[in-house]
Amino acid sequence: MEYLWSSVLTVIARLALFGMIDVCLSHSSNILYISAVASPSHFLWSEQLAKALAAKGHNVTLLNIYKQGSSGKNMHFLKLDGVEEGLLAEGPVDYLELHQLSPFQLLSSFADLEFSVCERALVSTALQRLRQYPISFTFQLIIHDQLAGPCLLLLLETFRHPPLVMASAASSYTSSALVFGSPVFTGFVPSQLHDMPLQMGLVDRGYNFLLTHLEVMSRQYFYNPLIDRLVQRHCENITSVSQYESSAIRAVVNSMSLLDPPEPRISQIVAVGGLHITPTRPIDVSYLGRDKGKYTKLVLVSFGSNVLISTLGDGTIQALAAVARKMPFVQFLWKTDTNKSPLGMVLPSNVLTAAWFPQNDLLGGGIVDVFVTHGGLLSVQEAIWHGVPMLGVPVYGDQYQNVRRLERLGIGRRLLLEALSAGSLQDHLHALINDERYTERARKISRMVRDAHPAPRAKAVWTIEWVMRNYQTSSELLLGVDLNGVGFIEKYTLDVLAFVLLAISCCTVALYHLSTACYRYLIYRFAMKKKME
């Protein structure tokens, strides 16, 4: 009897195991993730999202410009060969020059980079190999980094138009909203192309209106048609790849409400700010010198994965070195382009330089007192998550707005590159180190951000899986509800506004004429009465 029960339980256990495997397999999908933005930090963000999907059992192919190979049995990296190599052959980006560009020049520079990436990607063997996949093979979903532009959306045609989800490592809520045809709110949402104040006056709002709509119109009427013509030269059966963007069902963006302006949100855009942040790992801090009591504070200096410290000018490097000498009680960890000392200069003993530091682990390890950053979104989010005060030195783009908001939150200070000197840098560091209010405020905000439910990564994965489960139904329900088909005049109710203004003008004119007639009548009566007397 005992043997019989043992056999029954074994059979039940095996059936349950096979059932679980079957369920897992039935829910696994083939996902193509297109991440072709020429930015290592954007790729790292995309990689974290792709790995999260792979961990759920999906087979993920990450088409990118930086990495080739596999990670686990269902995570595959497919590198667009020739793209990174071509960009590197053009030489490093001069970020000091980029910092000095006007917003219009910056917009043109971003568009040129997008076109250059597209041009090289179209002739890469990796893309040709993808397009030659067997007709029987299909991807159940395509995820596309919208900041790369519509170039590689030609793969939607190749794989018979599976559902599309947009994703972005930038807090590009406005540009994501434009994909779905939503209006933009230039009166209180500043453009990321310029260092706009958080509270804009009349002139600022006028300039912001001009910048935002110029970006939209140049994209719609110049850059997108340019990309379309380039793609047509390589794929004759495709008439327009830019039109595919509006077929997206959802967009997941690296947006954290604390760092965003107060703007109306639409349900198609899901904020998953901080998705890239991983649990901190223990690090060996013995080499920092703090275990000997030699240093009482630690400052981490990093300008991210894009900005090379050597491109910011000798003055910035010399100022950082001079401050380190004046603050011998502080240990400085300085991320440079290489493991060598910048400019070949002799640095003080309290400065450690390296081409890479485990930034997330350092910030989350409770040992960093101040984080000197360029204001890149991923770095700022990591510092907020771990409750570390910041000194922001913005260089270009959205970094200005990120730094303004951390200053408004009371968790950091802003130092413009033009004002950076040994004296100003030392003053800001002293304030951040000695004023406990910055640290207390940063820790409070950290607790609040971490308390969000669901967590950013789980939220992103659930959204993407929801699209795969409900694509057909949602497409039917949203049929005919495409805001991209609504004209500019109708979208901003300019016709109604014009009618109201016309009605007010007509009423004003009528009132004027009526008042004039009454006045003349009264004058006439007064004159007649006087004449009769």
Side-chain angles (χ1 to χ4, degrees):
M1 182 65 71
E2 185 177 339
Y3 174 76
L4 179 62
W5 276 110
S6 177
S7 302
V8 170
L9 289 173
T10 302
V11 170
I12 292 173
R14 287 179 177 177
L15 287 173
L17 178 62
F18 289 141
M20 288 172 64
I21 293 172
D22 183 61
V23 168
C24 289
L25 291 174
S26 67
H27 283 80
S28 67
S29 303
N30 295 323
I31 298 175
L32 175 62
Y33 194 149
I34 306 170
S35 177
V37 177
S39 166
S41 59
H42 281 246
F43 168 69
L44 291 174
W45 189 90
S46 299
E47 184 180 14
Q48 290 301 323
L49 177 54
K51 285 182 175 178
L53 290 165
K56 291 280 287 185
H58 301 292
N59 300 309
V60 184
T61 301
L62 182 55
L63 184 65
N64 69 93
I65 64 179
Y66 294 108
K67 190 173 181 179
Q68 177 76 28
S70 299
S71 176
K73 63 179 181 179
N74 56 342
M75 178 73 226
H76 310 286
F77 299 92
L78 192 57
K79 182 179 178 180
L80 292 161
D81 48 291
V83 177
E84 183 188 19
E85 295 79 3
L87 295 176
L88 288 174
E90 295 176 359
V93 177
D94 187 345
Y95 284 95
L96 194 59
E97 181 183 344
L98 201 64
H99 171 76
Q100 296 165 347
L101 294 181
S102 71
F104 305 102
Q105 292 171 319
L106 192 62
L107 177 62
S108 176
S109 176
F110 288 155
D112 289 343
L113 179 61
E114 177 189 324
F115 187 84
S116 180
V117 169
C118 177
E119 202 170 29
R120 291 180 170 91
L122 288 171
V123 296
S124 68
T125 55
L127 182 64
Q128 303 311 317
R129 193 167 56 205
L130 257 181
R131 297 189 66 208
Q132 291 169 6
Y133 270 25
I135 193 69
S136 58
F137 182 86
T138 185
F139 285 105
Q140 278 74 41
L141 180 80
I142 290 181
I143 304 173
H144 180 248
D145 191 329
Q146 67 193 62
L147 288 187
C151 177
L152 295 180
L153 285 179
L154 62 92
L155 292 169
L156 279 171
E157 184 78 25
T158 303
F159 296 106
R160 299 171 296 285
H161 292 273
L164 174 66
V165 171
M166 293 294 192
S168 177
S171 180
S172 53
Y173 189 89
T174 297
S175 57
S176 299
L178 288 169
V179 169
F180 300 101
S182 177
V184 293
F185 304 94
T186 57
F188 50 89
V189 180
S191 168
Q192 295 188 341
L193 292 170
H194 186 59
D195 184 15
M196 291 284 185
L198 297 180
Q199 299 293 330
M200 295 183 287
L202 177 63
V203 175
D204 292 324
R205 283 186 282 116
Y207 189 49
N208 192 55
F209 176 89
L210 177 66
L211 269 181
T212 303
H213 287 287
L214 176 68
E215 183 179 1
V216 173
M217 292 175 67
S218 62
R219 165 66 58 187
Q220 184 174 355
Y221 298 110
F222 182 72
Y223 294 120
N224 278 352
L226 203 64
I227 294 294
D228 286 338
R229 289 194 294 271
L230 179 61
V231 172
Q232 284 170 14
R233 290 205 295 266
H234 294 82
C235 313
E236 295 180 357
N237 60 321
I238 296 177
T239 55
S240 171
V241 287
S242 58
Q243 68 178 0
Y244 292 153
E245 289 186 318
S246 61
S247 66
I249 306 299
R250 287 288 186 274
V252 289
V253 298
N254 189 26
S255 172
M256 190 178 279
S257 59
L258 284 172
L259 294 171
D260 290 339
E263 61 181 312
R265 305 257 164 162
I266 58 176
S267 60
Q268 289 96 324
I269 301 176
V270 181
V272 292
L275 171 150
H276 66 289
I277 302 171
T278 56
T280 55
R281 295 165 298 180
I283 56 174
D284 180 14
V285 296
S286 60
Y287 68 93
L288 301 179
R290 301 192 86 185
D291 56 331
K292 302 174 185 176
K294 187 176 180 181
Y295 307 112
T296 58
K297 300 293 179 181
L298 190 144
V299 172
L300 175 62
V301 182
S302 173
F303 286 84
S305 55
N306 292 335
V307 181
L308 305 179
I309 193 71
S310 59
T311 64
L312 293 182
D314 298 352
T316 303
I317 297 172
Q318 290 166 356
L320 285 165
V323 168
R325 290 190 185 93
K326 293 178 180 179
M327 304 176 74
F329 60 93
V330 177
Q331 171 79 72
F332 286 86
L333 301 184
W334 186 358
K335 179 184 175 296
T336 58
D337 308 343
T338 66
N339 289 316
K340 297 180 181 179
S341 171
L343 298 181
M345 65 195 311
V346 178
L347 295 173
S349 60
N350 61 331
V351 176
L352 245 98
T353 61
W356 179 83
F357 282 109
Q359 180 173 294
N360 183 62
D361 298 333
L362 284 168
L363 293 173
I367 60 174
V368 177
D369 297 286
V370 177
F371 180 32
V372 180
T373 172
H374 62 311
L377 184 61
L378 273 63
S379 293
V380 169
Q381 287 176 339
E382 286 177 12
I384 287 177
W385 187 270
H386 297 302
V388 178
M390 287 167 276
L391 174 58
V393 186
V395 179
Y396 72 98
D398 66 327
Q399 297 164 10
Y400 290 102
Q401 294 301 319
N402 296 337
V403 172
R404 279 187 180 274
R405 291 194 176 93
L406 68 88
E407 188 178 37
R408 183 200 64 189
L409 290 170
I411 58 174
R413 294 169 73 97
R414 183 170 73 115
L415 177 57
L416 295 179
L417 204 56
E418 295 84 355
L420 195 152
S421 65
S424 61
L425 181 59
Q426 186 178 7
D427 291 342
H428 282 289
L429 288 178
H430 266 302
L432 289 165
I433 288 172
N434 297 322
D435 192 341
E436 288 296 325
R437 289 177 296 179
Y438 288 106
T439 303
E440 291 172 4
R441 180 78 171 163
R443 287 172 180 168
K444 286 180 181 178
I445 290 176
S446 171
R447 286 194 294 271
M448 183 181 71
V449 170
R450 287 165 174 263
D451 197 32
H453 183 76
R457 188 173 301 202
K459 190 177 180 182
V461 170
W462 184 90
T463 299
I464 291 167
E465 290 182 330
W466 180 91
V467 170
M468 289 190 286
R469 290 192 303 268
N470 300 286
Y471 166 63
Q472 196 63 44
T473 306
S474 64
S475 298
E476 293 170 359
L477 291 174
L478 294 173
L479 191 64
V481 193
D482 184 10
L483 290 177
N484 286 291
V486 180
F488 184 86
I489 292 177
E490 184 181 353
K491 188 176 294 182
Y492 293 97
T493 62
L494 297 181
D495 49 349
V496 176
L497 182 61
F499 176 78
V500 171
L501 290 175
L502 180 63
I504 292 173
S505 301
C506 290
C507 290
T508 303
V509 171
L511 186 61
Y512 169 77
H513 285 294
L514 181 61
S515 301
T516 303
C518 290
Y519 175 75
R520 288 175 178 172
Y521 175 74
L522 291 173
I523 292 295
Y524 172 77
R525 288 291 303 270
F526 179 74
M528 289 297 295
K529 184 177 180 181
K530 191 172 181 181
K531 186 177 181 180
M532 290 177 65
E533 289 176 351

